[in-house]
């Protein structure tokens, strides 16, 4: 029996056509699946939050496996820098809506799947209505506000949330289902301070890594639908690609959880951007420390006018290799406490990094060392390459 | 001092040190860390009461949020 009663109840109405029988032959001959299980898959409705690194492989495999209806939520467009890992999108889709790009690939993989695209930003005022129509929600989003929102909406509706997250060479996967085990808030009652956990846009990710975690999410989703095996409820699976090792952490439901504990205090969705103090978008965190700034166009004028100043780049050497503003001196942020005396304190200093956050930290440190004439390049080299020098590659 | 194992590495700590104190000393951001002690994940509110003992195996796992 499926772990989801709606699927069990509507399986009888699903018939498999001859082409479907041929297509799913390797499923049908397994006693854990059979025609009955394949009909459960056809009766099921799965909602993927995000069509990024995790969403790509999980949508492709769930489509191929014969999930009857796939919902896709994403408001983003395909960017060239997505293609290193987001394999549901193609070179020809760059610039197009991700949901449409994903729909096309799924249609080519399996025409028997019904795809519902939701080109919206998931928010507190639309999540519950959207989730209601689905049996399983798969969280492949890239930010904390949306993760808390998905968790809370699933807990309120009693739906399973197949969770995956990735960074660099590490991945984590579990199934949150408040009725049967812990929820995300049992593990993380408070969101981390904004900017304290780097995103893949800031720290990078091995392109293949989300393939591993997204496929694990797809497997867990299919197991819930079929009602087979041991679901990953109450267990956090940790994957380390460098060590090539899986580890499992046993999780407990937190009796003090405000979302799913006996004394729960949360009865509806809240403002998650406010809760997390951060916008629900990957990319530069908005709350750069307040420091004196210079815009890219003003810096350009200063360079063109041959004004005397020192330009310090506090990024890492591997970033400097990708692109640099001519005339800059590289001192990575982590080396500033040892090397700040190399910086002349009688000249105007302009500091930059990729987006302006690390350079603001460097600026605050130099202020403490007595530097007076300091300016932070607003938007960093990213804005510089966008507005001033398009020949510099963005990353 | 007693010896414990943090993420597999031996580490000397004061006896009766709490898990919360260890997290602070290791300069980990408390809201984004999960701590497992001898195979059991600790709830956040338990960090202040649980004192590490000689031979304890602690795992500190940082949350990741990318997708």
């Amino acid at each position: 029996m499926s772990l989801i009663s709606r699927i069990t109840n509507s399986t009888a109405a699903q018939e498999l056509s001859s082409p479907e029988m041929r297509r799913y032959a390797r499923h049908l001959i397994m006693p854990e699946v059979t025609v009955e299980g394949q009909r459960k898959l056809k009766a099921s409705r799965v909602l993927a939050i995000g069509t990024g690194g995790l969403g790509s492989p999980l949508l492709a495999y769930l489509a191929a496996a014969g999930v009857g209806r796939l919902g896709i939520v994403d408001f983003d467009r395909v960017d060239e820098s997505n293609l290193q890992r987001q394999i549901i999108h193609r070179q020809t889709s760059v610039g197009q809506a991700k949901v449409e790009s994903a729909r096309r690939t799924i249609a080519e993989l399996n025409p028997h799947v019904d795809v519902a695209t939701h080109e919206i930003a998931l928010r507190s005022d639309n999540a519950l209505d959207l989730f209601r129509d689905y049996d399983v929600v798969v969280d492949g989003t890239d930010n904390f506000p949306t993760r808390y929102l998905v968790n809370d909406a699933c807990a309120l509706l009693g739906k399973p949330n197949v969770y995956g997250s990735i960074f660099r060479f590490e991945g984590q996967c579990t199934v949150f289902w408040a009725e049967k085990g812990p929820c995300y808030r049992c593990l993380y009652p408070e969101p981390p301070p904004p900017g304290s956990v780097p995103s893949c846009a800031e720290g990078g990710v091995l392109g293949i890594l989300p393939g591993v975690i997204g496929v694990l999410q797809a497997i867990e989703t299919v197991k819930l639908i079929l009602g087979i095996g041991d679901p990953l409820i109450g267990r956090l699976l940790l994957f380390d690609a460098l060590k090539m090792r899986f580890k499992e952490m046993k999780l407990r439901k937190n009796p003090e959880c405000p979302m799913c504990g006996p004394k729960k205090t949360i009865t509806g969705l809240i403002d998650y951007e406010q809760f997390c103090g951060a916008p629900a978008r990957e990319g530069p965190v908005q709350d750069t420390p307040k420091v004196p700034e210079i815009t890219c166009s003003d810096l350009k004028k200063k360079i063109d006018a041959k004004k005397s100043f020192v330009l310090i780049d506090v990024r890492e050497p591997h970033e400097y290799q990708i692109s640099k503003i001519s005339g800059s001196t590289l001192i990575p942020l982590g080396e500033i406490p040892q090397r700040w005396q190399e910086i002349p304190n009688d000249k105007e200093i302009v500091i930059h990094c990729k987006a302006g956050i690390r350079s603001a930290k460097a600026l605050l440190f130099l202020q403490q060392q007595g530097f007076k004439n300091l300016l932070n390049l607003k938007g960093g080299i990213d804005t510089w390459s966008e507005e001033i020098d398009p020949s510099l590659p963005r990353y | 001092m007693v010896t414990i194992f943090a993420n597999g590495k031996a580490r000397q700590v004061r006896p009766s040190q709490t898990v919360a104190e260890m997290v602070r000393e290791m300069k980990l951001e408390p809201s984004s860390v999960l701590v497992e002690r001898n195979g059991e994940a600790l709830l956040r509110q338990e960090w202040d009461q649980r004192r590490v003992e000689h031979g304890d195996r602690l795992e500190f796992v940082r949350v990741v949020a990318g997708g």
Side-chain angles (χ1 to χ4, degrees), chain A residues 1-21:
Chain A
M1 217 169 70
S2 172
L3 287 179
I4 296 139
S5 54
R6 195 204 63 81
I7 295 176
T8 306
N9 298 337
S10 59
T11 299
Q14 302 294 331
E15 288 300 329
L16 297 180
S17 64
S18 293
E20 286 176 294
M21 293 280 196

Side-chain angles (χ1 to χ4, degrees), chain A residues 105-125:
Chain A
T105 308
I106 292 169
E108 284 174 22
L109 281 169
N110 188 349
H112 304 286
V113 176
D114 174 20
V115 177
T117 56
H118 306 282
E119 195 182 349
I120 52 166
L122 195 67
R123 287 195 319 256
S124 302
D125 60 4

Side-chain angles (χ1 to χ4, degrees), chain A residues 39 267 280 314 349 354 385:
Chain A
R39 283 160 58 195
T267 53
V314 297
I349 313 288
K354 185 186 174 192
S385 52

Side-chain angles (χ1 to χ4, degrees), chain B:
Chain B
M1 301 295 265
V2 295
T3 304
I4 57 116
F5 297 89
N7 290 350
K9 287 202 183 97
R11 195 182 162 103
Q12 302 290 316
V13 298
R14 287 193 327 276
S16 80
Q17 190 172 27
T18 66
V19 169
E21 286 165 347
M22 271 209 74
V23 168
R24 270 197 297 278
E25 270 180 28
M26 293 173 78
K27 295 197 165 55
L28 298 169
E29 166 54 46
S31 59
S32 56
V33 171
L34 294 179
V35 185
E36 184 188 64
R37 180 178 171 229
N38 301 331
E40 176 200 36
L42 299 177
L43 301 173
R44 200 58 49 97
Q45 65 266 26
E46 295 170 339
W47 288 9
D48 281 324
Q49 305 129 34
R50 296 297 171 97
R51 295 181 187 283
V52 297
E53 288 168 24
H54 185 75
D56 268 0
R57 292 185 175 275
L58 291 144
E59 295 286 332
F60 298 86
V61 176
R62 248 181 281 223
V63 65
V64 294

